[in-house]
Amino acid sequence: MLRHPAARRRRPGDRAGGAGGGAGLNSGADCGPITVTAQEPAVTALAPEQPDVWIPSSSVWLRIALVNTYRQAGEPIARSPIVLAAPTAVAARYAQGDRTTWMQLMTGLAGHQIPAVTMPDPLHSSVGMLAVYAIQAAMVHSTPDAGIAQLRALTLRSRLKDASADPAELLRRVAGQTDATAVANDVGAFPITEQQLTMYQRGNNPVTLKGSYPSDGLIEADYPFAISATTKYAGLAERLRAAITMPAITDAGFRTYAMPHAIEVPERSDRMLDPALQWAQYRALEFQVLLLIDSSGSMNKPATDRTGRVTTKAGLLRQSGLAAAQLFGDETSIGLWTFNTPKPESPPHTDVVPFGPITGKVGDKSRRDALAAAITGYTAPNEAGTPLFQTILDARAAMRPRVKPRAITLIIVLSDGTDAESKYAMPKKTFLTRLAKESDPQRPVPVIGVGFGPDADMATLTDIAKATDGKAIAAKNPADLASAMAKAFLAAHAPS
């Protein structure tokens, strides 16, 4: 439950700014008529006894299935937008003045410009639930692909210092520190309500916190005054509601009006709960990925993407591969082979980027940069065979010994799906027989096949996917590969 926002002035770190309050009413002459308890809305929602008046820090709690006996009396009595708080030096890395975006926060954290980000548990905290919904909304606006949007949100989730913090406890921890650098490394940036930040700043604490408003996902905590449908003191509850004055609300650091451009909290509670559940149940996993890129002559054939732009399969692959490579997290180990036979004696494939941690080095570059450079500079000789089948067999043999617990080992093939014109060519039936014979259920290595162009042999890629428990995707747009990889990663991260 939350303490009533006008019940008393908050001190820095008070739970009241980010939780919720409930009031028990009675008519006894020997004690006060109102008992106020401060606790998180999730606690109130599950409590066996419900208060006569409930002021949760978000109206979404009134729509959660277990809480269905309250009516909201008028407009919310207070509002407070969710802001990103951080020591001033950290905030300068992702904010311009008091404005930022969730995308900037994700990019800064993924690129190690921000030392840490801490988040509250979205299933127990209004701040956490609202922030996760806002993050998801921001990522949806960044791409038309729902899978990529989800994966971008989880990119932020995967890098959190703490994903189940208590906002009030965070403020108490920060208030007890004198070293801003220690706070930056211990807590970093974290979402809280503007009211909580205001009360912290009024406390003249040694470490200064700077607040910024995410313009791509601005969301507010609203404080509805909800009266129990079963209370015997409805009249007293109404008088209490009328007694809450606007000056008392603003004096406590709250707003009495909605901010323009703020995201509306959806009426359907599942639209808030689904992202919160995915966030809370996220499983941190290591990925081991070997990329196989077709660089045979057929990749120079014309292709048209979904926008109608005429390019080549190779051009489409450059765009698709680069977009997909940006989705790999720091927990990924990766390598890149190209396969073709420009000469009869050529080997079936070339190790372009040696397998290893994406954060590791390849020469003087990071492996991530080496991968991007290899995809950006990708070309295919006009006359070159396509040893697709042999390359897949060799790739699975190379990756099978790397399979280990709590790691997802994948092979991703970018090709037009044709095995031809090389000394390694073999009948598809022979290949599929070998593929099945060389599989090891204890060391699974699924193959994700991405077919480029209108004439891609999707039937073959589908057979490969079925034989290895993988996926086959037809790619006619640079976003298709990234979308397919996002779906594969999301499936791996889903709770078992």
Side-chain angles (χ1 to χ4, degrees):
M1 288 181 288
L2 282 183
R3 186 174 294 275
H4 183 302
R8 61 180 174 86
R9 187 184 299 272
R10 283 358 175 247
R11 295 187 301 274
D14 269 0
R15 185 180 295 275
L25 310 178
N26 63 70
S27 56
D30 296 331
C31 60
I34 301 174
T35 301
V36 180
T37 304
Q39 62 188 30
E40 287 287 356
V43 177
T44 308
L46 297 173
E49 295 185 12
Q50 297 291 306
D52 299 281
V53 170
W54 189 25
I55 309 175
S57 44
S58 175
S59 55
V60 69
W61 294 101
L62 300 179
R63 296 193 283 276
I64 291 176
L66 293 178
V67 181
N68 54 15
T69 60
Y70 286 86
R71 64 176 178 84
Q72 185 171 335
E75 291 295 312
I77 62 172
R79 297 178 185 272
S80 191
I82 303 299
V83 299
L84 275 167
T88 304
V90 175
R93 302 178 192 181
Y94 63 82
Q96 294 75 45
D98 65 354
R99 292 290 182 269
T100 188
T101 65
W102 294 109
M103 182 65 78
Q104 284 177 288
L105 183 74
M106 184 202 74
T107 303
L109 185 60
H112 305 287
Q113 287 83 35
I114 302 172
V117 172
T118 301
M119 286 280 290
D121 185 337
L123 297 182
H124 293 89
S125 160
S126 289
V127 170
M129 184 179 291
L130 293 169
V132 167
Y133 183 76
I135 290 167
Q136 185 67 36
M139 300 310 158
V140 167
H141 289 148
S142 74
T143 172
D145 187 277
I148 295 174
Q150 282 185 295
L151 194 62
R152 284 178 178 171
L154 292 183
T155 296
L156 177 57
R157 168 65 180 85
S158 70
R159 289 161 171 77
L160 296 180
K161 183 74 175 284
D162 184 354
S164 58
D166 181 307
E169 177 58 29
L170 281 178
L171 286 174
R172 282 191 287 271
R173 281 167 55 187
V174 175
Q177 294 280 344
T178 58
D179 185 351
T181 301
V183 172
N185 293 326
D186 178 41
V187 176
F190 57 100
I192 54 174
T193 65
E194 180 189 60
Q195 184 269 343
Q196 287 176 304
L197 179 61
T198 297
M199 301 314 292
Y200 177 91
Q201 292 170 333
R202 290 181 187 176
N204 295 317
N205 294 287
V207 175
T208 301
L209 291 180
K210 174 75 174 178
S212 52
Y213 302 85
S215 60
D216 58 347
L218 181 63
I219 196 166
E220 292 181 317
D222 62 344
Y223 295 80
F225 191 94
I227 302 174
S228 171
T230 60
T231 183
K232 299 177 182 179
Y233 309 103
L236 183 56
E238 294 287 359
R239 292 202 303 273
L240 175 61
R241 172 70 177 86
I244 300 172
T245 65
M246 197 173 293
I249 292 169
T250 55
D251 185 56
F254 293 91
R255 293 175 183 250
T256 58
Y257 58 90
M259 291 191 71
H261 311 302
I263 300 172
E264 290 188 11
V265 175
E267 286 293 326
R268 286 178 48 181
S269 58
D270 61 317
R271 293 184 178 174
M272 292 288 290
L273 288 174
D274 286 352
L277 281 168
Q278 185 185 56
W279 187 276
Q281 295 176 344
Y282 174 84
R283 297 189 304 157
L285 295 173
E286 177 184 351
F287 280 90
Q288 303 184 119
V289 180
L290 183 57
L291 281 175
L292 309 180
I293 296 185
D294 185 340
S295 56
S296 64
S298 62
M299 295 300 287
N300 292 317
K301 292 181 179 179
T304 303
D305 66 22
R306 288 182 182 172
T307 67
R309 188 178 67 88
V310 177
T311 179
T312 63
K313 293 180 185 179
L316 189 61
L317 188 146
R318 278 192 292 270
Q319 299 173 65
S320 301
L322 189 60
Q326 294 169 349
L327 299 177
F328 292 116
D330 287 353
E331 70 281 4
T332 304
S333 292
I334 196 165
L336 169 63
W337 294 0
T338 58
F339 58 95
N340 68 4
T341 52
K343 298 179 180 179
E345 67 273 15
S346 297
H349 46 78
T350 302
D351 191 352
V352 177
V353 178
F355 184 87
I358 201 167
T359 55
K361 288 284 190 179
V362 177
D364 60 350
K365 295 181 179 180
S366 72
R367 187 168 271 98
R368 186 187 295 279
D369 289 343
L371 181 67
I375 294 174
T376 302
Y378 163 84
T379 58
N382 284 325
E383 301 294 332
T386 315
L388 172 66
F389 293 164
Q390 186 62 53
T391 298
I392 290 175
L393 292 171
D394 291 348
R396 294 192 86 215
M399 294 303 289
R400 198 176 298 116
R402 302 182 188 276
V403 175
K404 56 186 178 180
R406 292 198 59 77
I408 304 299
T409 304
L410 298 171
I411 292 171
I412 300 177
V413 184
L414 287 65
S415 175
D416 58 10
T418 301
D419 180 83
E421 300 177 353
S422 80
K423 67 178 182 179
Y424 305 99
M426 66 183 80
K428 185 166 76 169
K429 184 177 180 180
T430 302
F431 164 66
L432 292 175
T433 300
R434 286 186 59 183
L435 198 62
K437 184 178 179 179
E438 296 174 12
S439 294
D440 182 353
Q442 302 302 316
R443 293 178 175 272
V445 184
V447 176
I448 298 176
V450 183
F452 286 89
D455 59 345
D457 186 352
M458 294 307 301
T460 295
L461 291 177
T462 299
D463 289 339
I464 294 170
K466 287 180 179 178
T468 62
D469 198 24
K471 293 180 181 294
I473 301 102
K476 297 181 180 180
N477 185 291
D480 288 342
L481 176 59
S483 177
M485 290 173 59
K487 291 173 184 175
F489 290 177
L490 288 168
H493 281 304
S496 57

